[in-house]
Amino acid sequence: MAYLQITKQNIDEQHICCALGAKQYELAVNEKKRWLKERMEEGLVFYRLDDRAKVFIEYLPANQAWAPIDAPNYMFVNCLWVSGRHKGQGHAAKLLERCKEDAAALGMDGIVHIVGNKKLPYLSDKAFFEHMGFKVVDEAEPYFQLMALTWNETAASPTFKPHVKQVFSPEKGISIYYTAQCPFAVGMLEELQSAARLKGVPFRACRITSKEQAQQAPAVWTTFALYYDGKFVTHEIMSVNKFDKLLERLKPAYKPAHSTNS
């Protein structure tokens, strides 16, 4: 099956794999497309299977990455996703090979990607990247790992920026840092805010709008990072029901804002 590169010229007519067929995320998908167009000016490549499926890779030079990493002369993989009936057919390896070819052609020293130390939603499978020759070069709490594939032995080792390993104290209650990179992150915010309001939990959404903000963000995973009273909780973009249960677990003493004392 053939692959297709999404460009500024064809992106308006092509799907970008995310939220396929989900009309409630249409506006968020359009925001992602605008985000991609802007990043394409900075060297971003979006390459996918030429089919209506979630099979794609998204990468750009690491100095342009919306992530708090130091990886000079490396390519950064934003996302590599193969799902559904296309799993087990070698697509992930082929997509990653395309990224490697592009990085080598630009004279780069390697590729970096953020994974979890175990299987987690929205993060790539560490075992696959190990199989492809990547090695863990840095870690950040509670479970993030930076992996690198290097073909220049004299190249500097990529790292997370030091500030992501320091204590962070935003406002009380829920604080969510996010970008337009994932339509689900943008599309779910209003519902999450409403759920928090019903429980009387302070809610703060902090949209990251530039690579400079992203590279200095407290969150390792800038696509979506949820904090509670200054403590990182999860990078997972969750349903309203799951978020509601999370609020109950984090702060069981909170009562719905409309309730009254008896």
Side-chain angles (χ1 to χ4, degrees), residues 185-256:
V186 175
M188 287 299 300
L189 280 175
E190 287 189 12
E191 293 181 72
L192 299 185
Q193 184 174 20
S194 296
R197 186 184 297 119
L198 286 174
K199 287 192 174 295
V201 180
F203 184 97
R204 176 173 173 249
C206 311
R207 182 162 181 163
I208 297 169
T209 58
S210 71
K211 71 177 181 186
E212 290 79 15
Q213 288 180 357
Q215 291 174 2
Q216 294 303 317
V220 172
W221 192 253
T222 58
T223 305
F224 184 93
L226 187 153
Y227 291 79
Y228 182 79
D229 284 356
K231 183 179 179 181
F232 177 81
V233 178
T234 184
H235 74 285
E236 181 183 352
I237 306 166
M238 58 189 68
S239 66
V240 174
N241 287 340
K242 193 168 185 177
F243 179 67
D244 196 59
K245 291 177 182 178
L246 176 68
L247 292 179
E248 292 178 3
R249 178 168 57 83
L250 290 173
K251 196 68 174 180
Y254 273 124
K255 294 182 179 180

Side-chain angles (χ1 to χ4, degrees), residues 32 55 65 97 105 127 171 191 228 230 256:
K32 167 68 182 271
V55 182
E97 182 62 27
E171 296 179 2
E191 293 181 72
Y228 182 79

Side-chain angles (χ1 to χ4, degrees), residues 3-20:
Y3 296 93
L4 173 69
Q5 183 168 342
I6 303 301
T7 67
K8 290 193 299 180
Q9 288 70 40
N10 66 14
I11 192 170
D12 291 332
E13 292 74 41
Q14 297 291 337
H15 76 77
I16 54 170
C17 299
C18 300
L20 284 174

Side-chain angles (χ1 to χ4, degrees), residues 1-3 47-51 53-57 80-98 128 132:
M1 200 170 272
Y3 296 93
Y47 198 57
R48 69 163 173 82
L49 190 67
D50 192 8
D51 191 17
K54 297 175 182 178
V55 182
F56 72 98
I57 189 169
L80 174 60
W81 192 359
V82 177
S83 67
R85 68 185 187 279
H86 295 289
K87 285 185 176 181
Q89 298 180 26
H91 290 300
K94 291 175 183 177
L95 292 170
L96 194 58
E97 182 62 27
R98 170 63 183 261
F128 168 76
M132 299 302 295

Side-chain angles (χ1 to χ4, degrees), residues 13 18 24 33 39 48 58 90 110 134 138-139 147 149 153 158 173 200 212 216 224 229 234 243 261:
E13 292 74 41
C18 300
Q24 69 270 34
K33 286 188 173 184
R39 303 290 76 73
R48 69 163 173 82
E58 181 185 314
F134 284 69
D138 201 6
E139 299 183 81
M147 300 194 78
L149 175 67
E153 295 182 358
E212 290 79 15
Q216 294 303 317
F224 184 93
D229 284 356
T234 184
F243 179 67
N261 293 328

Side-chain angles (χ1 to χ4, degrees), residues 141-154:
E141 294 293 337
Y143 46 68
F144 295 105
Q145 294 183 328
L146 186 64
M147 300 194 78
L149 175 67
T150 306
W151 47 81
N152 179 2
E153 295 182 358
T154 64

